[in-house]
Amino acid sequence: MEKLRTEIRRHEHLYYVLDAPAITDADYDALMSRLRALEERHPELIPAGSPTLRVGGAPREGFQQVKHSEPMLSLDNALNEGELRAFDERVRGLLGDAPHAYVAELKFDGLSLAVRYEGGVLRQAITRGDGDTGEDVTENARTIRSLPLRVAANEPFEVRGEVVMPSRAFQALNEDREQQGLPRYANPRNSAAGSLRVLDPAITAGRRLDFYGYIRLPAPDSQWGALECLSAEGFKVSAHRKRCKGLDELLAFIQEWETGRERLPFEIDGVVVKVDSQAQQRQLGWTARAPRWAIAFKYPPRQAETTLRSIEIQVGRTGVLTPVANLEPVGVSGVVVARATLHNEDEIERLGLAAGDTVVIERSGDVIPKIVKVARHGDARVKFAMPSQCPVCGEPVVRAEGEVASRCLNPNCPARLRESLRYFASRGVMDIDGMGEALIEQLADKGLLKSIADLYQLNAGQLAGLDRMGEKSAARIMKGIEASKRQSLARLINGLGIPFVGERTAALLGGAFGSLDAIAQASEEKLQETPEVGVKVAQAIRRFFGNEHNREMVERLRAAGLTFTQEKVRTENGPLSGLTFVITGTLASMSRDEAKAMIENAGGKTAGSVSKKTDFLVAGEAAGSKLEKANTLGVKVIDEEELRRIVSKGGQA
Ligand code: IVH
């Protein structure tokens, strides 16, 4: 098991920290399944920091407040060159013109997190909070793949850094939320915060967060050394950093990344400048608010003004009609923008928008920019009204009560078909190489694609007969179609286009049911037992599989040989299933989180307070009111020795 863990950790570091995977996802999954299976048989042998503990435990009732080891202060801002110059002059003045260097780093646009390690294991992760006290989000932070659970250093230390949501994950999340009729997150920072500060760690686990370290306590001799040290210890630190001699070099770095930020996989909102030497940092000290040895140079928001020419309607794959702003093309920090999403008619109402108006647009993480506000009304304003008929097929449009979206209900609407095909074939779904928008358009026009299932009836001859298509490309596409049959069940479910079922819900359904048939046959009640599946989603699933066209499509996909099954995700069949534990006091040989993880890995539940439903109270040193309550209620009280015994034997204490 230890050998497997070492191997898995190595691959996680290669994949999540260095962005240089050495094996395929499937091989990685296989290593993990093997380890999980072994740990399931021997839960008493699961150490703190096992890679399987990233999944996160049961939902909590609230966050514990924890005091920071040192205050987590903010940085002063410089909004232009003059303010940066003033900072440099102050530094030089205070250092008596002694030689010094700066380190310029990217300013990640996320939320800061302090992570403590002890005995080589991740012990605690705390949000910034008010700077003195933050919230304990350890369980959630554990699910961030680039944050090491184990490190080589045995002595205690703390890393401070930023939790960010990569731009692609942010876009996917928002698309998913839109699918589910949930409000979109405004920017990656809000979505990172919303993903980390949730009571259910399973939600954090499903959001692809990343952690970049930038401060180490105790600090090495220099900031440059701190970053190198963190990197050597297995943390992700930004590769884009520079040791600068003076103002000119700093300005060059700042300028380089003002345009360079477009290419980064995450959002930045500026550059942080720090005095490199730790001794000089101490000499400069702190004000009540911020260090004197660092400053944040903030980039101006990426906004521009332009005219709204018209509002067009796009019909999506589930029939949702989305208004899109058609803009007078304008440059926003190096990118020409001609379109902006408007989401729905309520959004247009909220903005008070009409064609002809001058609007302020902003880019913030989304590929497609958004309209922030109306700057000036136009002379000839054309008010927007949602059409009552689909602009593509002419069938009626319906806005259901309590929903913001208007939908075309015609399942055979050509726009819906094309969008469904495009989504089905796209990279994050069935990933059919070469099957892009233009090709789908051609195939649909020729009547060769009337359903997703038709993809698997295509042959090389039909493809080779199309515009700009040689035999070679045709062969490549046929290979892509063939390969897509082996995509996972979760991806297939996502690709089917069931309303409200996006990537995440699809994965949860696949894991809970283990096969497409089980999902298709499940009752609404049964479907709702799946995490995050409520009435609305369950109804949509029932309706989808109740539809004859859909059932036929599913049968054709089965006949084509697509993946209809997967391994079920183990939920409650460990040795402790059906038992509820409460942990209290200080345990001698493990932290409470570890005890909790041990119980949950063995299928048990943990709760925050003792009640009649509690089966065991695990009590450590200095147990207080919970112990009293357990005694009053006659709940069995055990120590950690006994807990280990129960875990290895099953429920008999
Ligand atoms: S150093 C003593 N380095 O920006 C302050 N902060 O506006 C230590 N941030 O609260 C912070 N990237 O959340 C530092 N490379 C970086 C950063 C960074 C982003 C955030 C951090 C901080 C805020 C200040």
Side-chain angles (χ1 to χ4, degrees):
M1 286 158 86
E2 249 333 277
K3 242 185 172 160
L4 264 172
R5 290 188 189 110
T6 310
E7 185 68 2
I8 290 170
R9 276 187 201 113
R10 190 170 74 82
H11 288 301
E12 286 185 340
H13 186 249
L14 282 167
Y15 187 104
Y16 294 109
V17 178
L18 303 179
D19 276 330
I23 55 174
T24 64
D25 291 4
D27 287 341
Y28 169 81
D29 291 344
L31 290 174
M32 270 302 238
S33 308
R34 175 98 187 99
L35 178 59
R36 252 191 226 110
L38 288 170
E39 288 188 347
E40 204 170 319
R41 274 173 29 214
H42 298 284
E44 75 284 6
L45 295 180
I46 307 177
S50 173
T52 55
L53 301 183
R54 284 207 196 271
V55 285
R60 321 201 119 188
E61 281 154 18
F63 293 117
Q64 208 103 48
Q65 299 282 321
V66 182
K67 207 166 157 53
H68 283 297
S69 57
E70 274 179 29
M72 258 179 122
L73 297 191
S74 186
L75 294 173
D76 282 334
N77 291 334
L79 299 178
N80 50 49
E81 189 181 325
E83 291 179 13
L84 187 68
R85 193 176 296 275
F87 164 78
D88 177 51
E89 272 160 18
R90 198 167 58 238
V91 166
R92 279 190 289 138
L94 288 167
L95 292 179
D97 277 324
H100 71 279
Y102 293 112
V103 176
E105 299 169 36
L106 302 180
K107 184 169 172 350
F108 304 98
D109 197 7
L111 73 154
S112 44
L113 188 73
V115 191
R116 295 180 186 165
Y117 289 81
E118 243 176 73
V121 186
L122 187 162
R123 291 282 170 201
Q124 206 167 35
I126 315 158
T127 61
R128 184 172 145 203
D130 64 6
D132 276 318
T133 312
E135 286 173 336
D136 182 332
V137 291
T138 314
E139 292 282 312
N140 298 356
R142 257 197 243 285
T143 69
I144 302 174
R145 309 297 202 282
S146 49
L147 192 58
L149 297 176
R150 289 256 316 239
V151 288
N154 214 46
E155 65 281 3
F157 72 95
E158 183 172 318
V159 191
R160 291 183 175 182
E162 203 84 349
V163 175
V164 298
M165 180 171 286
S167 311
R168 275 190 58 180
F170 170 68
Q171 283 152 24
L173 174 64
N174 261 350
E175 274 166 32
D176 232 53
R177 287 177 71 84
E178 194 136 83
Q179 264 285 302
Q180 298 188 36
L182 296 169
R184 296 169 64 94
Y185 282 113
N187 53 50
R189 177 170 20 91
N190 290 359
S191 66
S195 304
L196 191 67
R197 294 188 60 256
V198 288
L199 293 171
D200 183 356
I203 294 183
T204 317
R207 310 268 172 93
R208 278 158 230 162
L209 297 175
D210 226 339
F211 177 86
Y212 286 89
Y214 47 67
I215 294 268
R216 191 187 190 282
L217 303 171
D221 290 346
S222 67
Q223 173 60 15
W224 191 260
L227 294 172
E228 305 244 283
C229 175
L230 287 173
S231 171
E233 284 173 324
F235 293 93
K236 201 163 185 171
V237 297
S238 169
H240 311 300
R241 52 182 191 262
K242 189 161 189 258
R243 206 164 171 273
C244 298
K245 294 248 175 50
L247 197 62
D248 290 343
E249 285 184 26
L250 285 176
L251 287 170
F253 184 86
I254 288 169
Q255 213 169 38
E256 178 186 346
W257 288 104
E258 178 152 17
T259 45
R261 66 197 288 205
E262 305 296 338
R263 285 176 280 121
L264 292 169
F266 48 80
E267 283 283 296
I268 61 170
D269 60 343
V271 165
V272 177
V273 174
K274 297 171 189 163
V275 169
D276 189 26
S277 149
Q278 177 65 29
Q280 287 180 329
Q281 285 187 7
R282 268 197 302 272
Q283 198 182 333
L284 290 160
W286 303 68
T287 68
R289 225 185 26 244
R292 286 199 196 87
W293 45 265
I295 197 154
F297 185 96
K298 294 263 260 214
Y299 290 131
R302 295 177 293 181
Q303 289 187 341
E305 270 190 19
T306 188
T307 313
L308 175 65
R309 283 175 169 169
S310 61
I311 296 175
E312 285 172 15
I313 297 288
Q314 261 179 13
V315 184
R317 67 196 167 89
T318 53
V320 173
L321 270 60
T322 307
V324 178
N326 186 4
L327 304 163
E328 190 70 44
V330 62
V332 195
S333 52
V335 174
V336 176
V337 171
R339 293 166 84 72
T341 44
L342 288 165
H343 308 309
N344 52 57
E345 59 182 321
D346 289 3
E347 173 77 357
I348 297 173
E349 178 81 30
R350 187 182 70 78
L351 290 165
L353 202 59
D357 288 350
T358 302
V359 295
V360 177
I361 58 169
E362 182 174 299
R363 298 178 48 217
S364 64
D366 263 316
V367 228
I368 309 172
K370 61 169 184 255
I371 295 181
V372 192
K373 61 175 187 206
V374 175
R376 281 179 301 284
H377 282 176
D379 297 333
R381 306 184 78 214
V382 184
K383 277 250 163 127
F384 174 79
M386 190 54 95
S388 54
Q389 282 161 338
C390 174
V392 180
C393 70
E395 296 279 314
V397 165
V398 175
R399 177 171 172 175
E401 217 184 286
E403 263 195 54
V404 289
S406 304
R407 289 171 199 268
C408 162
L409 296 182
N410 173 13
N412 301 316
C413 171
R416 287 184 62 175
L417 174 65
R418 265 160 233 207
E419 282 304 303
S420 313
L421 285 162
R422 194 187 55 74
Y423 185 76
F424 187 85
S426 68
R427 260 186 66 185
V429 189
M430 300 303 272
D431 194 14
I432 305 180
D433 196 20
M435 187 60 71
E437 212 163 326
L439 180 59
I440 289 171
E441 188 93 357
Q442 276 196 68
L443 290 166
D445 282 348
K446 285 208 154 43
L448 290 170
L449 286 182
K450 293 204 189 77
S451 144
I452 286 169
D454 290 342
L455 279 168
Y456 297 96
Q457 235 92 70
L458 290 172
N459 61 47
Q462 288 168 329
L463 289 173
L466 299 170
D467 291 351
R468 278 167 304 172
M469 176 80 65
E471 257 171 45
K472 254 204 183 143
S473 336
R476 180 172 66 109
I477 290 161
M478 287 309 295
K479 224 174 113 191
I481 293 173
E482 197 54 37
S484 74
K485 295 179 181 173
R486 292 188 298 276
Q487 293 291 3
S488 67
L489 173 62
R491 282 185 181 230
L492 174 61
I493 299 169
N494 180 17
L496 291 177
I498 307 169
F500 312 118
V501 177
E503 185 184 347
R504 176 158 175 80
T505 311
L508 290 168
L509 285 166
F513 286 91
S515 79
L516 192 60
D517 294 323
I519 299 168
Q521 283 150 20
S523 65
E524 249 174 58
E525 292 70 41
K526 183 83 192 149
L527 287 164
Q528 282 182 53
E529 286 171 20
T530 315
E532 296 174 38
V533 173
V535 190
K536 196 173 72 175
V537 183
Q539 278 174 354
I541 298 169
R542 284 275 13 102
R543 212 173 297 132
F544 181 89
F545 289 106
N547 176 301
E548 200 180 323
H549 289 290
N550 292 334
R551 278 207 306 268
E552 188 200 312
M553 169 180 80
V554 167
E555 283 320 307
R556 289 177 61 206
L557 292 175
R558 186 201 308 277
L562 275 77
T563 312
F564 270 46
T565 58
Q566 73 161 74
E567 214 176 287
K568 268 207 203 182
V569 172
R570 168 176 59 94
T571 44
E572 286 183 1
N573 45 12
L576 300 190
S577 67
L579 296 176
T580 302
F581 292 73
V582 174
I583 309 165
T584 188
T586 313
L587 307 179
S589 65
M590 57 182 128
S591 73
R592 280 203 225 175
D593 280 339
E594 281 161 354
K596 190 166 173 301
M598 182 191 269
I599 292 165
E600 285 163 5
N601 269 290
K605 284 208 178 85
T606 57
S609 58
V610 178
S611 74
K612 273 185 281 182
K613 289 191 199 138
T614 312
D615 294 292
F616 294 101
L617 178 75
V618 184
E621 202 61 36
S625 59
K626 285 181 189 166
L627 181 56
E628 267 173 45
K629 185 148 184 212
N631 286 330
T632 320
L633 293 175
V635 169
K636 189 154 175 62
V637 179
I638 58 171
D639 61 12
E640 50 207 287
E641 283 295 283
E642 217 158 339
L643 172 63
R644 280 185 216 279
R645 224 169 17 242
I646 302 177
V647 167
S648 58
K649 281 208 193 110
Q652 306 92 22

